[in-house]
Amino acid sequence: MEKFLENKLYADVEGTCSGAYGYIIAVLSIVDIGQGNVLSGTGQAEFITVYRAIVFKPFKGEVVDGIVGEVNKMGFFVEVGPLNVFVSNHLIDPEMKFDPNSNPPSYASQDQIIERDTHVRLKIVGTRVDATEIAQSRKIILAL
């Protein structure tokens, strides 16, 4: 029974997002599996489980690294671990201009270019949390 509960915890929790704790990357260990309570009317059992996990919950002012996914005239999307972040063109250095004719589309200045698969460093300028995901507003700091 204990092994079943461990496997169920790993399957149900890893890779999910909790508004309170952020993205649960991996469960490290199970501290305690409580005594099961049978739920009336269904016959199902509920076990309160305490576990340790690696989580990713970005916060305002944090600087993170990511990889550019899609670029368009409104800004670009960056993958930061499990998080997909949109960087608005209003938060990009005014020196960088969008070039719709380049292939692939990009933002470019005299000394750097941001296009798909470019490594960038971002600073979080705001967050919005809902029950199942975390949305971020980011400001571009520099392309790596």
Side-chain angles (χ1 to χ4, degrees), residues 23-38:
Y23 288 94
I24 301 172
I25 307 297
V27 174
L28 295 176
S29 64
I30 296 174
V31 176
D32 182 49
I33 298 175
Q35 195 172 21
N37 295 324
V38 177

Side-chain angles (χ1 to χ4, degrees), residues 71 97-108 113-116:
V71 178
K97 301 294 181 204
F98 178 66
D99 183 2
N101 299 322
S102 67
N103 190 13
S106 65
Y107 281 87
I113 186 166
I114 296 177
E115 60 188 9
R116 177 182 287 275

Side-chain angles (χ1 to χ4, degrees), residues 12 15 22 32 34 36-37 39-40 56 59 62 65 72 75 85 90-91 104 107 109 120 125 130-131 134 140-141:
D12 289 355
D32 182 49
N37 295 324
L39 302 176
S40 61
F56 175 59
F59 53 88
E62 182 176 8
D65 294 333
N72 61 45
V85 176
H90 300 293
L91 297 173
Y107 281 87
S109 69
V120 293
V125 296
D130 80 24
I134 301 172
I140 184 73
I141 294 179

